[in-house]
Amino acid sequence: MELKYFLIGLCAFFYFYSPVSTESTCKLKAKFNLSGYKNTDKKKVVVGGMFPVHKRIASSDGNTSSLPVSAGCVGFNFRTFRWTQTMLFAINEINNKKELLPKTDLGYVIYDSCFTISKAVEGTLTYLTGQDEAVPNYRCGNGAPLAALVGAGGSDLSIATARILGLYHFPQVSYCSTCSALESKFQFPTFLRTIPNDKHQSKAMAQLVLHFGWTWVGTIAADDDYGKYGIKDFKDQVEEAGVCISFSETLPKVNSPEIIQRIVKTVIESTAKIIVVFSSDVDLSPLILELVQHNVTNRTWIASEAWVTSALISQPGVGSLLGGTLGFAVKRAEIPGLQDHLLNIDPYADPLTEEFWETLFNCTLSYGKALKQAKQSAAGVNGTLSRAVRAVPDGLCTGKESLAKVNNTYSDVSQLRITYSVYKAVYAVAHALHNMEYCVPGQGPFVGNSCADITNFEPWQLMYYLKNVRYKMPNTNEEIYFNEGDVEGFYDILNWQVNSNGEISYTTVGYYNASAASEDMMTIKNDSIIWNNQVTEPPRSVCSENCLPGTRKGIRQGEPVCCFDCIPCADGEISNTTNARECILCSGDYWSNDAHDTCVPKIIEFLDFGEPLGITLIVISAFGALVTIAVAVVFVVNIRTPLVKANDFLLSFTLLFSLVVTFLCSIVFLGEPQKWSCMTSQVALALGFAICLSSIMGKAAVLMLRAQALKAARNRAKAAAKAAKAAAEAAANRGSPDVIVTSTNNNNETSSSPNPDVDILTCGHQRAIAATAILIQIIACTVWLLILPPYPIKNTSAQNIKIILECEKGSVIFICCIFGYDILLALLAFIFAFIARKLEDHFSEAKCMTFGMLVFFIVWISFVPAYLSTRGKFMVAVQIFAILASSFGLLTCIFLPKCYVLLVKPERNTEEMMKPRPKPRDGTSTGTSASLATAATEVTATTAFDD
């Protein structure tokens, strides 16, 4: 749009402010220097063409003191010259056809754009003016109408020309301008092309990168619209799919060794093995030459259609650098008769052909120029020219040189791709003109169903026919039509393969069809590709290696997302895909395996009956129960003996029964927890120990009370004896003959008189105390079972990799109260037994109970830290060991001495042994703890009085 307003303003300026003269003129004060082909005489319609025959314009000295002259062009390009000759061939072929424009001869005006925007604009203005001098906004020529422009070469050139031509609704059909920006009909309303839009090529390149799993690529683009738009579309495609760009460089339009060296350094230092290049062959050539000088290898290049078959790039010696290149090329076709046309051109026909001939054969067609060069050469040797040299100077072309003998890209018709696109563009214009010429009056597309006159039509009228043209190519039968100015996107995928001679051949290894279904767009034969360094395996190009299942990607700060660290998943988390971004948490009953790539069911753990530890505990429990039963049998057998009678056989059997219960309840802790087993084990344990401890407490309480009563009786007796002795001594001192003092030997005498204060504590008291204590526990357990009973649960939190089947206590308050009550009973039993331990006798049951309770406390105090430090089935095992150890401790300490007497020392099982020991010398005497149940304590204090 800026160019549009600029031209309008420029025209207005020269119209209003040009010097007024008697003769009006419509030309500007400038003359363009354009080279090309022109044939308009006696032609009905003229077709324009624009080709970048030269690579660049010649540099100027920048002098503004003289009339500026349009710069000339340098750097002859044989490939684009073939395109030019293809247009001439196509026009001649159409003019000779009887079925296409039989009444119309086409002329042509073809200019060289020099691959430069300024030259393309010069040619465009010249087309519009109709003269060799450009007068914007005026058509000053009187010849045949100009039909359309075929050109103007690269995308940058076509964008410049299309902006101007669009102002005049002038049709333009491009053969190699692929930039996606040109699809905008708002900016370029009259632009059409016979080559696919670059948006298809960018998508194809992206799919190729993804096909081989490359995630780390470099990009190089020409500094023009073709490169910028192409590489931008490519980046958008691949970055959305997770591919990262290692580097992105831009090729200079003007040769710059510094920039080229910087790009070479970037390519060498980058770890990316894949490099995507959107550029023309002219812009890319300096970089390729420099990379070859640096012997850069082990890179795979992805080529755009602008250079994938360019002979300018595929020069000898580039095989080590570019071998294995993959690229996209437009459709290839054979054009019959083209090669003959190329080989039979007249070198003297026009200046452009002369330059081609002279450049190709390194000679000159000008006799004067050749003679001048010969004189300069002779002057440097001997200063004279031989007669033969004066006749035919060295360096003079004969014009008969054979093009067929020269191996040159100009005559190479093996890869006619852009050439075929030129051919199609010319035929598109011809078919549009044919449709316009044979329009039936009254059925035309214009106002009033009118038709256009082929000898005098407006550009916009031809534009209508071009937009709607549909034709088939004569040699390939390919149907061509335009969809919004574009043709369908179809590409051959080429692989640069280097033969044994170092020559590069283009091998088709696949296809890309943008109009196919998404899954069928790309077809590629991986096995047919020969990669760089002649390997058959695709290269890897990644910033970081793939993260295997079991790990996740950890992004590195400040680096692209393709550069990452592989972090192992935490326990309980998995990743089952490659390059997972996050680990997945396993659900409650599952846990990660060792590789962290699968969730597996957690190990279900409980202390089973059949495992070695379970069998061991069962054996120990059964053994303990059998031993307890055996002790009960021994007591039954000896039930009438003094020892058994002296120990309240009912409480003894109750105690033995409770020990059997505690031994056997430990077995219920084994196996998979069930509702009944959880209730039974906990209640049996609580009641078993309650019965056991209540029985011990009942015995110990009575013993303690009797010991206290006995102690009080002995203290009274001792006081009475002392008083009597004192009275006797006083009487003796008075000399009374009637008093005789007799001292009794306390160590040899025992009292047989009963003590009424001691005898009132009988076995009934023991049983009542035990029964009351047991009843309290029974009531508490019953309430516990009714309100919040224990139940089985799956404990998934104790150990991550296991599900522990265990019993939930139901209520912490109840469990604390139940077992707290057992602890209270144990403390009372221990205190009572400890106080009664001084009942000296041949057999002291209080001491046995004291030792038994000490063992009980030691076991359970040790059990607490062991229980808290274990998990799973070992926690249950520790609890069972504590139950068994405490039960064995009580059984051993309380009943082993009695069984020893009953079985090993039966001679001690007598009434005498159950009686108190002799009184100590201090006058005190201790009662037997065993005999307290059968006889009263005897206290003897003998005082003799002499009458």
Side-chain angles (χ1 to χ4, degrees), residues 48-240:
M50 193 175 294
F51 297 89
V53 178
H54 289 84
K55 299 177 184 178
R56 58 189 177 275
I57 60 174
S59 59
S60 62
D61 55 7
N63 185 13
T64 58
S65 61
S66 59
L67 179 67
V69 179
S70 177
C73 301
V74 295
F76 199 90
N77 191 328
F78 294 108
R79 183 189 184 204
T80 53
F81 185 69
R82 184 180 69 223
W83 301 348
T84 307
Q85 291 299 319
T86 301
M87 180 173 176
L88 297 177
F89 169 78
I91 291 176
N92 291 334
E93 186 178 68
I94 292 168
N95 287 336
N96 293 327
K97 285 183 178 292
K98 301 298 182 182
E99 69 277 6
L100 183 62
L101 292 174
K103 301 178 182 179
T104 300
D105 274 349
L106 296 179
Y108 51 82
V109 177
I110 300 175
Y111 290 130
D112 178 13
S113 66
C114 297
F115 204 66
T116 308
I117 292 177
S118 61
K119 281 294 180 183
V121 172
E122 287 181 12
T124 303
L125 296 177
T126 303
Y127 284 134
L128 295 174
T129 304
Q131 300 183 31
D132 291 337
E133 296 157 333
V135 184
N137 216 30
Y138 290 92
R139 174 73 178 174
C140 301
N142 296 319
L146 186 64
L149 172 64
V150 176
S155 295
D156 257 16
L157 309 183
S158 287
I159 287 174
T161 58
R163 291 189 186 278
I164 299 174
L165 295 175
L167 300 176
Y168 304 95
H169 306 286
F170 196 93
Q172 177 181 356
V173 184
S174 178
Y175 50 84
C176 70
S177 300
T178 60
C179 179
S180 59
L182 285 164
E183 70 181 354
S184 171
K185 295 300 128 185
F186 177 76
Q187 297 187 68
F188 313 104
T190 61
F191 179 83
L192 305 98
R193 50 188 162 192
T194 55
I195 191 169
N197 190 332
D198 266 344
K199 68 180 182 181
H200 302 307
Q201 184 175 200
S202 297
K203 184 176 181 180
M205 285 184 170
Q207 288 197 18
L208 182 71
V209 168
L210 298 177
H211 173 79
F212 289 105
W214 298 323
T215 59
W216 189 235
V217 300
T219 62
I220 298 175
D223 190 15
D224 53 25
D225 290 322
Y226 170 72
K228 292 176 182 177
Y229 278 93
I231 214 67
K232 176 184 179 298
D233 290 343
F234 168 78
K235 286 181 180 179
D236 291 343
Q237 294 277 343
V238 296
E239 287 178 346
E240 185 178 349

Side-chain angles (χ1 to χ4, degrees), residues 564-632:
F564 49 81
D565 297 316
C566 295
I567 302 173
C569 291
D571 290 338
E573 297 180 347
I574 66 161
S575 63
N576 51 14
T577 59
T578 303
N579 289 334
R581 294 186 179 275
E582 298 293 339
C583 293
I584 305 170
L585 183 65
C586 293
S587 60
D589 291 348
Y590 290 84
W591 194 252
S592 57
N593 59 355
D594 292 340
H596 291 275
D597 58 2
T598 304
C599 286
V600 296
K602 289 183 177 181
I603 300 171
I604 296 178
E605 182 179 272
F606 58 89
L607 191 54
D608 195 14
F609 293 101
E611 60 181 293
L613 181 59
I615 294 173
T616 303
L617 293 175
I618 292 173
V619 171
I620 296 174
S621 299
F623 176 75
L626 292 175
V627 170
T628 306
I629 293 171
V631 171

Side-chain angles (χ1 to χ4, degrees), residues 231-439:
I231 214 67
K232 176 184 179 298
D233 290 343
F234 168 78
K235 286 181 180 179
D236 291 343
Q237 294 277 343
V238 296
E239 287 178 346
E240 185 178 349
V243 177
C244 297
I245 305 302
S246 172
F247 63 87
S248 188
E249 293 290 347
T250 302
L251 294 169
K253 295 296 290 183
V254 179
N255 189 28
S256 173
E258 295 80 9
I259 297 178
I260 294 297
Q261 288 290 342
R262 178 177 57 78
I263 297 175
V264 169
K265 183 180 179 182
T266 300
V267 171
I268 293 174
E269 293 178 352
S270 174
T271 57
K273 303 301 180 184
I274 308 300
I275 302 174
V276 178
V277 181
F278 250 101
S279 170
S280 67
D281 53 355
V282 174
D283 292 333
L284 181 61
S285 180
L287 176 63
I288 296 300
L289 294 176
E290 193 65 30
L291 288 169
V292 171
Q293 292 294 323
H294 284 78
N295 194 28
V296 177
T297 59
N298 197 26
R299 302 289 191 280
T300 297
W301 301 78
I302 309 299
S304 63
E305 36 66 44
W307 67 275
V308 68
T309 57
S310 172
L312 182 64
I313 301 298
S314 59
Q315 297 287 338
V318 301
S320 61
L321 172 66
L322 297 178
T325 293
L326 287 176
F328 293 85
V330 295
K331 280 185 178 180
R332 173 184 173 274
E334 301 290 339
I335 304 178
L338 176 62
Q339 188 169 36
D340 292 338
H341 171 82
L342 296 175
L343 297 178
N344 293 306
I345 64 172
D346 181 5
Y348 300 101
D350 53 79
L352 198 59
T353 309
E354 288 181 12
E355 183 182 359
F356 158 72
W357 200 275
E358 292 174 352
T359 305
L360 179 62
F361 293 107
N362 193 24
C363 61
T364 178
L365 290 168
S366 171
Y367 178 83
K369 184 177 180 181
L371 184 61
K372 182 179 179 181
Q373 290 176 352
K375 287 180 180 180
Q376 291 175 350
S377 178
V381 181
N382 51 24
T384 60
L385 287 173
S386 65
R387 186 174 299 175
V389 171
R390 287 196 298 271
V392 184
D394 293 337
L396 179 66
C397 297
T398 64
K400 302 295 183 180
E401 289 83 3
S402 175
L403 289 172
K405 294 181 180 180
V406 179
N407 184 16
N408 183 269
T409 184
Y410 166 75
S411 57
D412 183 7
V413 294
S414 62
Q415 295 289 331
L416 298 181
R417 299 182 186 276
I418 304 297
T419 303
Y420 180 52
S421 183
V422 173
Y423 193 60
K424 290 188 288 187
V426 176
Y427 265 87
V429 177
H431 278 279
L433 289 169
H434 181 87
N435 294 340
M436 184 172 66
E437 183 176 19
Y438 285 91
C439 172

Side-chain angles (χ1 to χ4, degrees), residues 502-582:
E503 298 175 347
I504 292 177
S505 62
Y506 309 118
T507 304
T508 302
V509 295
Y511 306 93
Y512 181 84
N513 186 1
S515 59
S518 57
E519 64 274 9
D520 299 326
M521 284 183 178
M522 179 175 289
T523 302
I524 189 166
K525 305 170 187 174
N526 294 353
D527 297 338
S528 302
I529 301 175
I530 303 297
W531 301 95
N532 192 265
N533 297 328
Q534 301 298 308
V535 298
T536 57
E537 290 295 323
R540 285 185 57 76
S541 185
V542 295
C543 181
S544 300
E545 290 297 330
N546 290 332
C547 289
L548 299 176
T551 61
R552 66 174 179 85
K553 291 165 64 174
I555 303 301
R556 299 175 185 169
Q557 291 294 331
E559 296 189 32
V561 295
C562 296
C563 302
F564 49 81
D565 297 316
C566 295
I567 302 173
C569 291
D571 290 338
E573 297 180 347
I574 66 161
S575 63
N576 51 14
T577 59
T578 303
N579 289 334
R581 294 186 179 275
E582 298 293 339

